[in-house]
Each structure stands twice: as structure tokens, then as C-alpha cells.
């Protein structure tokens, strides 16, 4: 038998290859650029997304040489950096060509919101016309809901949102190069303090208000989490406070549910009302560090918070104020789910965690975590000042409390409307929204954003609140109402929503990743296979890891249940 002999030169080459570092080589110029951007900032791993933003903002994209350099600088594997960079929509990852060169970034990116409210207002026409008008160096892309549904259609030029946008307005903004959105006038720290701001926090910290009294007032109010889950806030404070420290807080201002914009509206006007509620919750629960997770689309809100947090740190309203960290999302709807948000804050892909354990016990960085929506904390000051009974005294049709409804679509006065919990859609439209637009009649409505289902006008007397819509296959979620008229169809609305879910699925579990794609393909057909859609819905609801996959079938199921006349015109088998 002959034995193969490996030449000495080949063996040496293989040895050199084994000794070389794994992954692509780090280019010295890319490393120098990354080091210059980061300066003396900490290289801790949970800041990865922040540093990806810094590179993307500076160079208009993430070239793979910069990713390799960042990995070396942060002592992370290149795979770990690359998987995070490619997970989020707002990072533009570009590989080198065969010559090792990275293509130049577009001179500007124009994002046209194609959410349901913007689609109803003409976004498709903008997407069709703008590329030819703006030229090849300007990138025009569709974008999921940008949180300005009351101002549809919306186009984001760079970081500047153009509301009620038309073609001429977008072209003018691009030519002017105006790409940064600055905050509108708001109640700053000095103004807030002139109206008694942070006085309530001082009473809590000094002992003037006892902890048990604060907890009981919160419980008596019946305030529930206003991000969609609806868990009682006071009870959550007790649960997390009973866990061994150190304890952390994670605040969700990702607000990615299509149709929702209430948090942005309140934040733009009165940020310290939220911040005081946040610090009172931190005092009550014994929080060491606070992490605020703000969606990337809210550029002006981020500038506002950076300014006001700097002033708050310079003149803190309490001794030993918890450290407050502002973290920037990167365009991922899934990060509205609390455990996915926590993963993102930790600098990872926003993949929801399996439960148990729950985040109240094992959350951010493995510590007990108080997770709250922005608006929940926004109400804390007023509830404690006026009493839990005051908040609970509001409501209609047997419900208690107040709700901030984000209303968009075919109504005269879109916007955030503070109304009694339990109000019906008809009462909301007539009393708060100025009625329907001229020439439009109520045909259908979404009671809880993209995932909350679709109901017909004939069901216009259902109280809008937690626990009132489930029997109808819907839920209120974050109280995002989208109103459709006779000029719209539930079938087209369901197609728009399923396109959104398909794009926003994190891909972690097969029922959601494959189910959303398969469901979209099925409902885009002129005839719907009702039996197959029903089987698919059951699998997605029963087997998806998180609420995205579990709720994604709602629009389809509602069309089949409540709008059979649309399907009978040739849309179903």
C-alpha cells in the first residue's frame, strides 16, 4: 500500500493558515477609523448596537472592514458583530467586492412609510414616483410604520420626518439637504419645576409619603401596563421589589405597533412627567440602574432626552439617583416585546426569550427587572397626586380608568385622544375625532393596531378596553385605532398587515418565520384557501414563542369571520 506524502511546503502553508486569526483580516485604516469614532468610551459588549449606530451614522453604511475592526476593538467575535448588524433594519451592511473595496454609500436614504394608515393616504404613489425624480444616488425604500400615523403619509429624509408628504415636498427636502429633525418646543426641566415638578418624588424620598401608601394608591387606581400586555402596575412593583437586589428597570419606548404614536406625542410635550414617574417607580422598587429603550425613528425625542437627562444629572432631584442609560433601537418591531428589548439593550439580536423565568426574576443582565411602557410611568405623578380613586372613577360601560387612543385613518381629527376606558368606537369617532372625513362612512376598524384584529362597523358598540375584545377575536393592545371607510377593504388591510409581520418576524421560531410568509402568500392569491389558513393560524397561535407569531393571524381570521362578503366576491375557495 502506498502512503501519501504531504510536501513540506504544503504542510507549512497549512500550519500558517491554522496560526492565522479566524475571520477576515482587520484592515489598519478601518481600525483607526473605528478607534477615532469610539474615542475613550467603554468597550463593554452591551454597547455594540450604540457603536454600530455611530459607524452607520458617520459612513452611511456598515462596511465589513469596519465590522471586523469593531469586533477586534470590542473583543467580540466577528460572527457576533455581524449577526447583530444584519438583524436590524436600520443598519446597512455592505461587503467588499472582489478587489476588496466597499461600494460608496447612497448620498441619502429616503424611507417612505408603507404602514396601513400611510398606504391609505397615498404612500404607494410616493414609492412609485420618487426613485425616478430623486436619481440613482438617492436610495428610496419602503419602511414599516414610523410612529406618525396621524400625519400620514410620512416620508423620512435622512432623519427628518416629512408629514402629510407629497412629491414636491420630498424633492425640496432632498435638494436642501435638510436631514436632521430637531425637537419642537416642550416643557423643559426649569419649566417643569415651576409647576411643582419633582416635588412628589421629594415627598417619597423624604418619607413624607410612605412606600406602602404609594403602592396601595397605584393598586387602587387599577392602572395596567399601557404597552399592550395590561399587567397591573402596582402589583408589578410589589413583585419586583420582593426580589433580591440589585434590581434594574427597562423602559420600552420602542412603540413599533402600526397605528401607535401616543408615547411619542406625550414625550415630545412633557418628558419630565414621564421621568418623574420613572424615578418614583425606581424608588418604590429599589432600582439601581435604569435603561430607556427608544425607537430609532424618534430622532428628535432622542435629542430631547439627551438634553434633559444631562440637565437632570447636573441637578438631580434626589440623592443617589439611579444611573439612567439611554439606548437606541435600530428598527426592529420585535423589540417591543419585553424580553427581546432586554436582549437588544444587552447588545444582542432582539430574540424573545422563552419563559419561565420571567424578566421580573431574571431579566436585564440576569437581574430582577421592572419592565414598563412609557405611558404607564407617565401617569404615576397624577395618580399619586389625585388618588387612585380619581383615575378609577373615569370610564364608560362598566369599565374603569382613562385610555390614550392613537387614532388614524378616515377620521377628521386624527391624533392622540384621552378618553374614558370602555368608550365605543362610534362614541370615540363622534365625540373626539370630529366624525368621519367628508364622503367616508365607517366600514371597519382596527381596535388594537396591526395585531389587534379587524372589526366591522356593525360591531361599533363594543367597549374598548382590556378584556372586552377577546371574545371577538381581537384585543386593545396599546389602544391604536385605525379607521377604515367604504373606500377600503378588510382584505387589503390584512395583506398590508401580514406583509409587516413577515418582514418583522425575528426568525427565531419556525411557526412565525415560515407561518407569516406562508400566510402572506396565501392571502395574496385571488382565492383564499380558508381551510389551510385556519390550520396555519392554529399552529402559529399554539407554537410561536412570542406574541408576534401568536397574534399575526388575527387580521386574517377576522376577515374570514366578519367580512365573508369580500371573500365571496372571488377571494376564497
Amino acid at each position: 500500500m502506498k502512503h501519501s506524502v504531504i510536501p513540506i511546503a504544503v504542510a507549512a502553508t497549512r500550519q500558517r493558515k491554522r496560526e492565522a486569526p479566524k475571520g477576515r483580516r482587520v484592515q489598519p485604516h478601518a481600525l483607526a477609523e473605528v478607534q477615532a469614532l469610539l474615542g475613550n468610551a467603554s468597550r463593554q459588549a452591551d454597547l455594540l448596537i450604540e457603536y454600530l449606530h455611530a459607524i452607520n451614522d458617520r459612513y452611511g453604511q456598515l462596511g465589513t472592514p469596519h465590522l471586523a475592526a469593531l469586533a477586534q476593538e470590542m473583543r467580540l467575535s466577528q460572527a457576533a458583530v455581524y449577526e447583530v448588524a444584519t438583524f436590524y433594519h436600520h443598519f446597512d451592511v455592505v461587503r467588499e467586492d472582489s478587489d476588496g473595496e466597499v461600494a460608496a454609500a447612497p448620498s441619502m436614504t429616503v424611507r417612505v412609510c408603507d404602514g396601513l394608515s400611510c398606504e391609505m393616504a397615498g404612500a404607494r404613489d410616493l414609492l412609485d414616483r420618487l426613485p425616478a425624480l430623486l436619481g440613482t444616488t438617492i436610495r428610496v425604500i419602503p419602511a414599516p410604520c414610523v410612529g406618525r400615523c396621524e400625519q400620514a403619509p410620512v416620508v423620512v429624509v435622512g432623519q427628518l420626518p416629512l408629514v402629510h408628504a407629497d412629491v414636491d415636498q420630498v424633492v425640496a427636502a432632498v435638494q436642501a439637504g435638510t436631514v436632521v429633525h430637531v425637537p419642537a418646543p416642550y416643557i423643559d426641566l426649569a419649566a417643569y419645576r415651576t409647576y411643582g415638578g419633582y416635588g412628589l418624588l421629594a415627598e417619597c424620598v423624604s418619607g413624607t409619603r410612605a412606600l406602602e401608601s404609594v403602592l396601595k394608591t397605584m393598586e387602587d387606581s387599577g392602572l395596567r401596563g399601557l404597552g399592550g400586555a395590561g399587567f397591573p402596575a402596582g402589583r408589578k412593583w410589589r413583585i419586583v421589589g420582593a426580589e433580591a437586589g440589585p434590581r434594574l428597570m427597562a423602559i420600552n419606548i420602542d412603540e413599533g405597533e402600526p397605528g401607535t404614536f401616543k408615547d411619542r406625542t406625550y414625550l415630545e410635550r412633557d418628558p419630565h412627567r414621564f421621568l418623574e414617574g420613572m424615578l418614583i417607580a425606581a424608588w418604590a422598587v429599589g432600582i439601581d440602574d435604569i435603561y430607556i429603550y427608544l425607537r430609532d425613528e424618534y430622532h428628535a425625542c432622542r435629542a430631547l432626552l439627551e438634553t434633559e437627562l444631562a440637565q437632570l444629572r447636573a441637578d438631580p432631584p434626589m440623592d443617589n439617583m439611579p444611573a439612567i442609560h439611554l439606548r437606541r433601537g435600530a428598527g426592529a418591531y420585535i423589540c417591543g416585546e419585553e424580553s427581546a428589548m432586554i436582549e437588544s439593550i444587552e447588545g444582542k439580536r432582539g430574540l424573545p426569550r422563552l419563559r419561565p423565568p420571567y424578566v421580573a426574576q431574571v431579566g436585564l443582565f440576569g437581574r430582577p427587572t421592572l419592565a414598563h411602557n412609557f405611558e404607564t410611568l407617565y401617569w404615576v405623578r397624577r395618580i399619586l397626586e389625585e388618588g387612585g380613586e380619581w383615575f378609577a372613577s373615569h370610564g364608560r360601560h362598566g369599565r374603569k380608568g382613562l385610555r390614550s387612543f392613537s387614532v388614524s385613518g378616515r377620521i377628521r381629527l386624527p391624533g392622540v385622544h384621552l378618553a374614558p376606558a370602555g368608550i365605543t368606537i362610534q362614541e370615540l369617532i363622534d365625540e373626539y375625532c370630529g366624525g368621519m372625513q367628508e364622503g367616508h362612512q365607517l366600514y371597519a376598524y382596527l381596535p388594537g393596531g396591526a395585531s389587534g384584529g379587524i372589526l366591522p362597523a356593525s360591531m361599533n358598540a363594543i367597549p374598548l378596553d382590556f378584556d372586552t375584545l377577546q371574545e371577538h377575536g381581537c384585543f386593545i393592545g396599546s389602544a391604536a385605532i385605525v379607521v377604515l371607510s367604504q373606500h377600503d377593504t378588510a382584505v387589503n388591510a390584512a395583506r398590508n398587515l401580514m406583509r409587516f409581520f413577515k418582514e418583522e418576524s425575528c426568525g427565531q421560531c419556525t411557526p412565525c418565520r415560515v407561518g407569516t410568509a406562508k400566510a402572506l402568500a396565501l392571502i395574496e392569491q385571488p382565492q383564499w384557501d380558508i381551510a389551510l389558513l385556519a390550520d396555519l393560524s392554529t399552529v402559529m397561535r399554539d407554537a410561536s414563542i412570542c406574541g408576534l407569531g401568536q397574534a399575526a393571524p388575527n387580521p386574517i381570521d377576522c376577515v374570514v369571520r366578519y367580512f365573508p362578503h369580500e371573500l365571496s366576491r372571488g377571494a376564497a375557495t
Side-chain angles (χ1 to χ4, degrees), residues 315-347:
D315 186 10
M318 61 186 294
D319 293 333
N320 301 315
M321 186 174 75
I324 303 171
H325 311 270
L326 180 60
R327 292 295 170 86
R328 180 179 174 184
Y333 167 69
I334 191 62
C335 291
E337 195 276 340
E338 64 177 7
S339 66
M341 172 187 67
I342 285 171
E343 289 286 300
S344 189
I345 292 173
E346 292 180 356

Side-chain angles (χ1 to χ4, degrees), residues 159 180-184 186 267 271 294-296 298-311 326 328:
Q159 297 182 355
V180 178
H181 188 205
V182 298
Y186 62 91
L267 178 55
L294 179 69
R295 73 178 305 194
D296 191 34
Y298 292 172
H299 300 289
C301 289
R302 185 170 65 253
L304 177 160
L305 277 174
E306 287 172 346
T307 298
E308 297 307 310
L309 287 174
Q311 294 190 15
L326 180 60
R328 180 179 174 184

Side-chain angles (χ1 to χ4, degrees), residues 11-354:
T13 300
R14 290 183 178 177
Q15 180 65 26
R16 285 197 297 273
K17 286 182 177 179
R18 285 196 294 270
E19 291 173 352
K22 294 180 179 179
R24 66 180 66 242
R25 299 277 185 162
V26 176
Q27 299 178 10
H29 76 277
L31 181 61
E33 289 170 346
V34 168
Q35 290 173 335
L37 270 179
L38 304 191
N40 296 323
S42 169
R43 268 48 171 180
Q44 63 199 61
D46 59 284
L47 292 172
L48 172 59
I49 294 174
E50 297 296 311
Y51 295 157
L52 290 172
H53 272 303
I55 297 171
N56 204 82
D57 289 348
R58 171 64 179 81
Y59 295 100
Q61 61 188 19
L62 294 174
T64 45
H66 282 142
L67 295 180
L70 182 63
Q72 176 172 306
E73 191 66 13
M74 298 187 72
R75 301 195 175 189
L76 297 171
S77 71
Q78 291 188 22
V81 173
Y82 190 82
E83 72 176 8
V84 172
T86 54
F87 180 84
Y88 295 93
H89 294 314
H90 290 183
F91 293 143
D92 304 307
V93 178
V94 181
R95 296 185 178 91
E96 306 108 312
D97 60 21
S98 58
D99 296 323
E101 299 294 326
V102 175
S107 59
M108 188 180 297
T109 296
V110 174
R111 290 181 166 88
V112 180
C113 177
D114 64 355
L116 180 57
S117 297
C118 284
E119 182 179 88
M120 292 162 60
R124 179 51 52 189
D125 179 65
L126 293 171
L127 278 167
D128 290 342
R129 297 175 60 191
L130 284 173
L133 294 172
L134 296 179
T136 57
T137 64
I138 306 295
R139 180 174 57 175
V140 179
I141 57 175
C145 181
V146 297
R148 294 183 177 274
C149 314
E150 83 281 25
Q151 300 166 328
V154 180
V155 176
V156 182
V157 177
Q159 297 182 355
L160 175 67
L162 303 177
V163 302
H164 306 299
D166 59 35
V167 168
D168 293 338
Q169 183 184 11
V170 176
V171 171
V174 170
Q175 291 174 345
T178 307
V179 297
V180 178
H181 188 205
V182 298
Y186 62 91
I187 302 173
D188 63 10
L189 178 58
Y192 184 72
R193 279 179 162 151
T194 63
Y195 294 103
Y198 293 104
L200 181 63
L201 174 64
E203 292 179 12
C204 293
V205 173
S206 67
T208 305
R209 284 181 183 260
L211 173 59
E212 181 58 32
S213 172
V214 168
L215 293 174
K216 187 174 186 307
T217 300
M218 292 297 296
E219 291 171 334
D220 290 344
S221 72
L223 179 68
R224 297 170 65 169
L226 297 173
F231 193 87
R235 192 193 310 172
K236 183 182 285 190
W237 291 14
R238 287 193 188 275
I239 290 172
V240 180
E243 296 291 322
R247 307 174 200 90
L248 306 176
M249 182 188 294
I251 299 169
N252 188 343
I253 322 181
D254 192 57
E255 196 173 42
E257 182 73 18
T260 308
F261 46 88
K262 60 182 177 63
D263 293 349
R264 171 189 57 79
T265 300
Y266 288 142
L267 178 55
E268 287 175 337
R269 299 173 182 173
D270 196 358
H272 286 279
R273 183 168 293 274
F274 148 68
L275 292 172
E276 183 170 14
M278 174 190 80
L279 290 174
I280 290 171
W283 162 82
V285 178
I287 298 296
D288 288 62
D289 283 76
I290 300 170
Y291 290 80
I292 301 173
Y293 189 83
L294 179 69
R295 73 178 305 194
D296 191 34
E297 290 85 347
Y298 292 172
H299 300 289
C301 289
R302 185 170 65 253
L304 177 160
L305 277 174
E306 287 172 346
T307 298
E308 297 307 310
L309 287 174
Q311 294 190 15
L312 207 61
R313 296 184 188 105
D315 186 10
M318 61 186 294
D319 293 333
N320 301 315
M321 186 174 75
I324 303 171
H325 311 270
L326 180 60
R327 292 295 170 86
R328 180 179 174 184
Y333 167 69
I334 191 62
C335 291
E337 195 276 340
E338 64 177 7
S339 66
M341 172 187 67
I342 285 171
E343 289 286 300
S344 189
I345 292 173
E346 292 180 356
K348 307 171 188 173
R349 294 175 295 164
L351 301 180
R353 298 176 179 177
L354 292 170

